[in-house]
Amino acid sequence: MASSGRQTGRPTLEEVAARAGVGRGTVSRVINGSPKVSEQAKAAVEKAVAELGYIPNRAARALAGSRTDAVALVVPETEARLFAEPYFLDIIRGVSGELAAADKQLLLTLIRSDQERQRFEQYLAAQRVDGVLLVSVHADDPLPDQVRALGLPAVLNGRRREDEPVAFVDSDNTGAGRTAVAHLAARGRTRVATITGPLDMYGARCRLDGYREGLAEAGLAPDDALVATGDFTEEGGRRAMRELLDRAPDLDAVFAASDVMAAGARAVLREAGRRVPEDVALVGVDDSAVARLMDPPLTSVRQPIEEMGRTMARLLLAEIAAPSEPDDQPRRMLPTDLVVRASS
């Protein structure tokens, strides 16, 4: 894997920063011609660059007044899942609209294997894009850090952990779970189950935390039999719903951590002869087209997904123009709200 100048014997951005006595972000700003740098810092960085001979391709392009004018949007999923799930399409719509307005080219990249990941890392190392947007990032994914190590700005959709060091745009996932359970409890439901997303994703864990907080606030006792793990797919929702019915046949409500999983759960409930909402109330997350087209229409916690895509693109464009310090990466948290329909 090509990842940094250190492997090829060339001086790195970090070494320039250490020589100049400034932060890595300050070096990036000087290289990219940002006005947000003091004359003293600019002189120190330019001196360090000259002494170390640090002239990366990206810096050469910036100093020449030109860039690739291309941004990569990375989705580590298959084509089938990309086009089956409205979430990804809404993110792409938001990102592409914002980039088109800024006259930037969008390169959509699917990563489905280690080989494709390595190819993409080589592509990035060749400095063929100005920045990277990443969607559906799991907790152990090193790609965001590798992108940053190459000196490229990156913005995540969601985050890998609480103390995410890379810039991100997220929604209030904990609040989504809490709101869903509060709504179901207010409707008199007492055996509220949940189908989680993959628990190696921080957002899915936050929705589970919100579910548990909602139970506590409603005075409902937690029960592990009422928690089943899904994977944000329709089939994952089906499997988890079967598991829940086997373990807790007396359940009277389900909070599914995505609309697509709720659709899978709805199919299994129908097969089992359970009426929605009379026997089992159902709530999803996303407020996608799936929710509106279900029978009955699905109550869902709305995420502003397209706005998340637009915000990601705006943050990345700002980072390309004037990089932030590593310990001061931009972060945005967007609110969620409940859209009540006939399923609950």
mmCIF file of all heavy atoms in Angstrom, residues 181-202:
data_model
loop_
_atom_site.group_PDB
_atom_site.id
_atom_site.type_symbol
_atom_site.label_atom_id
_atom_site.label_comp_id
_atom_site.label_asym_id
_atom_site.label_seq_id
_atom_site.Cartn_x
_atom_site.Cartn_y
_atom_site.Cartn_z
ATOM 1 N N VAL A 181 -39.083 4.904 20.788
ATOM 2 C CA VAL A 181 -39.609 4.158 21.932
ATOM 3 C C VAL A 181 -40.616 5.005 22.708
ATOM 4 O O VAL A 181 -41.658 4.498 23.157
ATOM 5 C CB VAL A 181 -38.467 3.679 22.843
ATOM 6 C CG1 VAL A 181 -39.020 3.012 24.105
ATOM 7 C CG2 VAL A 181 -37.569 2.697 22.090
ATOM 8 N N ALA A 182 -40.331 6.294 22.861
ATOM 9 C CA ALA A 182 -41.273 7.172 23.566
ATOM 10 C C ALA A 182 -42.626 7.179 22.857
ATOM 11 O O ALA A 182 -43.683 7.134 23.499
ATOM 12 C CB ALA A 182 -40.706 8.589 23.648
ATOM 13 N N HIS A 183 -42.594 7.220 21.529
ATOM 14 C CA HIS A 183 -43.841 7.204 20.755
ATOM 15 C C HIS A 183 -44.600 5.891 20.972
ATOM 16 O O HIS A 183 -45.818 5.897 21.202
ATOM 17 C CB HIS A 183 -43.516 7.379 19.274
ATOM 18 C CG HIS A 183 -44.655 7.103 18.356
ATOM 19 N ND1 HIS A 183 -45.732 7.949 18.218
ATOM 20 C CD2 HIS A 183 -44.897 6.041 17.523
ATOM 21 C CE1 HIS A 183 -46.583 7.437 17.343
ATOM 22 N NE2 HIS A 183 -46.103 6.276 16.913
ATOM 23 N N LEU A 184 -43.890 4.776 20.908
ATOM 24 C CA LEU A 184 -44.548 3.473 21.070
ATOM 25 C C LEU A 184 -45.105 3.302 22.485
ATOM 26 O O LEU A 184 -46.218 2.793 22.674
ATOM 27 C CB LEU A 184 -43.554 2.357 20.741
ATOM 28 C CG LEU A 184 -43.162 2.281 19.257
ATOM 29 C CD1 LEU A 184 -41.944 1.388 19.067
ATOM 30 C CD2 LEU A 184 -44.344 1.778 18.418
ATOM 31 N N ALA A 185 -44.336 3.752 23.475
ATOM 32 C CA ALA A 185 -44.804 3.654 24.868
ATOM 33 C C ALA A 185 -46.044 4.525 25.078
ATOM 34 O O ALA A 185 -46.984 4.134 25.782
ATOM 35 C CB ALA A 185 -43.693 4.058 25.827
ATOM 36 N N ALA A 186 -46.057 5.690 24.435
ATOM 37 C CA ALA A 186 -47.213 6.583 24.569
ATOM 38 C C ALA A 186 -48.469 5.980 23.944
ATOM 39 O O ALA A 186 -49.589 6.338 24.334
ATOM 40 C CB ALA A 186 -46.901 7.932 23.916
ATOM 41 N N ARG A 187 -48.286 5.053 23.005
ATOM 42 C CA ARG A 187 -49.412 4.361 22.385
ATOM 43 C C ARG A 187 -49.827 3.117 23.182
ATOM 44 O O ARG A 187 -50.624 2.318 22.708
ATOM 45 C CB ARG A 187 -49.053 3.972 20.949
ATOM 46 C CG ARG A 187 -48.810 5.164 20.016
ATOM 47 C CD ARG A 187 -50.096 5.960 19.784
ATOM 48 N NE ARG A 187 -49.870 7.178 19.021
ATOM 49 C CZ ARG A 187 -50.066 7.279 17.694
ATOM 50 N NH1 ARG A 187 -50.454 6.229 17.001
ATOM 51 N NH2 ARG A 187 -49.876 8.428 17.092
ATOM 52 N N GLY A 188 -49.210 2.947 24.354
ATOM 53 C CA GLY A 188 -49.598 1.846 25.222
ATOM 54 C C GLY A 188 -48.862 0.545 24.997
ATOM 55 O O GLY A 188 -49.226 -0.497 25.570
ATOM 56 N N ARG A 189 -47.798 0.569 24.198
ATOM 57 C CA ARG A 189 -47.022 -0.652 23.948
ATOM 58 C C ARG A 189 -46.054 -0.892 25.112
ATOM 59 O O ARG A 189 -45.383 0.038 25.572
ATOM 60 C CB ARG A 189 -46.257 -0.536 22.634
ATOM 61 C CG ARG A 189 -47.136 -0.134 21.458
ATOM 62 C CD ARG A 189 -48.163 -1.200 21.104
ATOM 63 N NE ARG A 189 -49.132 -0.739 20.117
ATOM 64 C CZ ARG A 189 -49.751 -1.521 19.246
ATOM 65 N NH1 ARG A 189 -49.521 -2.821 19.244
ATOM 66 N NH2 ARG A 189 -50.621 -1.010 18.402
ATOM 67 N N THR A 190 -45.991 -2.138 25.577
ATOM 68 C CA THR A 190 -45.169 -2.451 26.753
ATOM 69 C C THR A 190 -44.071 -3.479 26.475
ATOM 70 O O THR A 190 -43.137 -3.616 27.261
ATOM 71 C CB THR A 190 -46.041 -2.983 27.903
ATOM 72 O OG1 THR A 190 -46.742 -4.156 27.458
ATOM 73 C CG2 THR A 190 -47.047 -1.926 28.346
ATOM 74 N N ARG A 191 -44.181 -4.212 25.364
ATOM 75 C CA ARG A 191 -43.151 -5.193 24.991
ATOM 76 C C ARG A 191 -42.542 -4.733 23.678
ATOM 77 O O ARG A 191 -42.848 -5.228 22.595
ATOM 78 C CB ARG A 191 -43.756 -6.586 24.868
ATOM 79 C CG ARG A 191 -44.226 -7.169 26.188
ATOM 80 C CD ARG A 191 -43.036 -7.609 27.056
ATOM 81 N NE ARG A 191 -42.455 -8.839 26.529
ATOM 82 C CZ ARG A 191 -41.263 -9.305 26.877
ATOM 83 N NH1 ARG A 191 -40.489 -8.619 27.718
ATOM 84 N NH2 ARG A 191 -40.800 -10.438 26.378
ATOM 85 N N VAL A 192 -41.664 -3.725 23.801
ATOM 86 C CA VAL A 192 -41.092 -3.057 22.632
ATOM 87 C C VAL A 192 -39.750 -3.702 22.280
ATOM 88 O O VAL A 192 -38.798 -3.649 23.064
ATOM 89 C CB VAL A 192 -40.900 -1.551 22.894
ATOM 90 C CG1 VAL A 192 -40.329 -0.873 21.657
ATOM 91 C CG2 VAL A 192 -42.217 -0.904 23.305
ATOM 92 N N ALA A 193 -39.682 -4.311 21.102
ATOM 93 C CA ALA A 193 -38.453 -4.951 20.629
ATOM 94 C C ALA A 193 -37.700 -4.006 19.701
ATOM 95 O O ALA A 193 -38.234 -2.978 19.261
ATOM 96 C CB ALA A 193 -38.787 -6.246 19.899
ATOM 97 N N THR A 194 -36.464 -4.357 19.399
ATOM 98 C CA THR A 194 -35.693 -3.583 18.424
ATOM 99 C C THR A 194 -34.900 -4.509 17.522
ATOM 100 O O THR A 194 -34.429 -5.569 17.938
ATOM 101 C CB THR A 194 -34.748 -2.572 19.106
ATOM 102 O OG1 THR A 194 -34.151 -1.734 18.094
ATOM 103 C CG2 THR A 194 -33.627 -3.267 19.865
ATOM 104 N N ILE A 195 -34.775 -4.090 16.274
ATOM 105 C CA ILE A 195 -33.859 -4.717 15.315
ATOM 106 C C ILE A 195 -32.756 -3.709 15.066
ATOM 107 O O ILE A 195 -33.007 -2.625 14.515
ATOM 108 C CB ILE A 195 -34.577 -5.070 13.998
ATOM 109 C CG1 ILE A 195 -35.710 -6.075 14.258
ATOM 110 C CG2 ILE A 195 -33.584 -5.626 12.982
ATOM 111 C CD1 ILE A 195 -36.568 -6.350 13.031
ATOM 112 N N THR A 196 -31.558 -4.027 15.509
ATOM 113 C CA THR A 196 -30.450 -3.073 15.425
ATOM 114 C C THR A 196 -29.787 -3.142 14.049
ATOM 115 O O THR A 196 -29.972 -4.090 13.288
ATOM 116 C CB THR A 196 -29.379 -3.366 16.483
ATOM 117 O OG1 THR A 196 -28.586 -4.491 16.059
ATOM 118 C CG2 THR A 196 -29.992 -3.669 17.837
ATOM 119 N N GLY A 197 -28.976 -2.130 13.763
ATOM 120 C CA GLY A 197 -28.071 -2.213 12.632
ATOM 121 C C GLY A 197 -26.838 -3.005 13.052
ATOM 122 O O GLY A 197 -26.745 -3.493 14.186
ATOM 123 N N PRO A 198 -25.852 -3.164 12.162
ATOM 124 C CA PRO A 198 -24.618 -3.878 12.509
ATOM 125 C C PRO A 198 -23.881 -3.143 13.626
ATOM 126 O O PRO A 198 -23.589 -1.952 13.501
ATOM 127 C CB PRO A 198 -23.811 -3.883 11.208
ATOM 128 C CG PRO A 198 -24.400 -2.801 10.371
ATOM 129 C CD PRO A 198 -25.828 -2.664 10.772
ATOM 130 N N LEU A 199 -23.578 -3.846 14.711
ATOM 131 C CA LEU A 199 -23.073 -3.170 15.901
ATOM 132 C C LEU A 199 -21.590 -2.822 15.834
ATOM 133 O O LEU A 199 -21.027 -2.321 16.812
ATOM 134 C CB LEU A 199 -23.392 -4.018 17.138
ATOM 135 C CG LEU A 199 -24.905 -4.153 17.403
ATOM 136 C CD1 LEU A 199 -25.165 -5.009 18.635
ATOM 137 C CD2 LEU A 199 -25.568 -2.784 17.538
ATOM 138 N N ASP A 200 -20.948 -3.061 14.681
ATOM 139 C CA ASP A 200 -19.605 -2.521 14.483
ATOM 140 C C ASP A 200 -19.683 -1.143 13.827
ATOM 141 O O ASP A 200 -18.665 -0.585 13.427
ATOM 142 C CB ASP A 200 -18.735 -3.466 13.650
ATOM 143 C CG ASP A 200 -19.249 -3.632 12.225
ATOM 144 O OD1 ASP A 200 -20.444 -3.354 11.972
ATOM 145 O OD2 ASP A 200 -18.457 -4.044 11.357
ATOM 146 N N MET A 201 -20.908 -0.600 13.729
ATOM 147 C CA MET A 201 -21.102 0.760 13.235
ATOM 148 C C MET A 201 -21.598 1.626 14.387
ATOM 149 O O MET A 201 -22.571 1.268 15.072
ATOM 150 C CB MET A 201 -22.100 0.788 12.077
ATOM 151 C CG MET A 201 -21.623 0.007 10.868
ATOM 152 S SD MET A 201 -22.735 0.156 9.440
ATOM 153 C CE MET A 201 -22.366 1.840 8.910
ATOM 154 N N TYR A 202 -20.928 2.742 14.602
ATOM 155 C CA TYR A 202 -21.226 3.600 15.749
ATOM 156 C C TYR A 202 -22.674 4.083 15.732
ATOM 157 O O TYR A 202 -23.342 4.108 16.772
ATOM 158 C CB TYR A 202 -20.254 4.785 15.760
ATOM 159 C CG TYR A 202 -20.439 5.720 16.935
ATOM 160 C CD1 TYR A 202 -20.021 5.335 18.202
ATOM 161 C CD2 TYR A 202 -21.018 6.973 16.772
ATOM 162 C CE1 TYR A 202 -20.181 6.186 19.292
ATOM 163 C CE2 TYR A 202 -21.178 7.830 17.849
ATOM 164 C CZ TYR A 202 -20.760 7.433 19.104
ATOM 165 O OH TYR A 202 -20.932 8.269 20.173
#
